[in-house]
């Protein structure tokens, strides 16, 4: 699973790995069709699975770091309804995002100067991640 790579300090690592996986699989599928050998597709799949395993082991942050970040994602507001917003956002895959009024108001309040998420919004604008340790 590549989910731990979502917590990597470089935001592009997850994208690079998933796109690389897709390109290698496509290449092996094309080779398999051209050569009319199913074994090439199996070999490509096996190589990609090995790539995912090695990437996960080499680039995933420590479990303690992921736990710390999840705790931070839950503690951004005192409003109980809005607390799980960022964990929901982390696993969001749709083309659109639905916010409740409470979530929107809490995000707006937290993004203003002196708000709890001002630094997070600054990081997002600068496309970087600072943990503040």
């Amino acid at each position: 699973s590549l989910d731990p790579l979502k917590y990597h300090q470089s935001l592009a690592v997850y994208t690079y790995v998933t796109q690389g996986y897709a390109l290698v699989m496509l290449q092996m599928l094309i080779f398999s069709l051209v050569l009319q050998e199913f074994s090439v597709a199996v070999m490509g799949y096996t190589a990609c699975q090995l790539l995912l395993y090695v990437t996960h082991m080499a680039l995933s942050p420590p479990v303690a770091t992921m736990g710390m970040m999840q705790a931070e994602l839950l503690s951004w507001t005192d409003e109980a309804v809005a607390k799980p917003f960022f964990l929901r956002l982390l696993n969001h895959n749709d083309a659109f995002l639905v916010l409740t009024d409470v979530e929107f108001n809490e995000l707006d309040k937290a993004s203003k100067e002196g708000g709890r998420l001002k630094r997070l919004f600054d990081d997002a604008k600068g496309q970087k991640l600072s943990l503040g340790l």
Side-chain angles (χ1 to χ4, degrees), residues 21-133:
Y21 179 88
L23 288 175
V24 169
M25 284 301 297
L26 180 64
Q27 181 182 12
M28 289 300 166
L29 183 62
I30 292 170
F31 285 164
S32 179
L33 292 173
V34 169
L35 298 174
Q36 296 180 349
E37 279 289 329
F38 181 70
S39 62
V40 175
V42 171
M43 186 177 64
Y45 175 77
T46 305
C48 284
Q49 290 303 108
L50 179 64
L51 170 72
L52 289 181
Y53 178 76
V54 169
T55 303
H56 172 74
M57 297 300 287
L59 297 177
S60 293
V63 176
T65 302
M66 291 188 292
M68 180 191 72
M69 290 178 74
Q70 286 180 353
E72 285 288 324
L73 291 175
L74 286 172
S75 66
W76 69 277
T77 182
D78 295 329
E79 181 64 47
V81 174
K83 279 187 181 213
F85 170 74
F86 281 106
L87 288 180
R88 186 168 54 98
L89 183 63
L90 184 65
N91 298 315
H92 185 73
N93 293 324
D94 294 335
F96 60 91
L97 178 67
V98 177
L99 293 173
T100 65
D101 288 339
V102 174
E103 289 172 337
F104 179 78
N105 291 333
E106 288 297 313
L107 274 172
D108 186 46
K109 184 169 61 172
S111 68
K112 301 260 192 272
E113 195 65 44
R116 287 180 168 174
L117 298 179
K118 177 69 172 125
R119 192 161 152 200
L120 178 66
F121 278 82
D122 291 343
D123 282 354
K125 287 177 188 172
Q127 294 185 352
K128 62 184 173 89
L129 181 61
S130 58
L131 293 175
L133 295 174

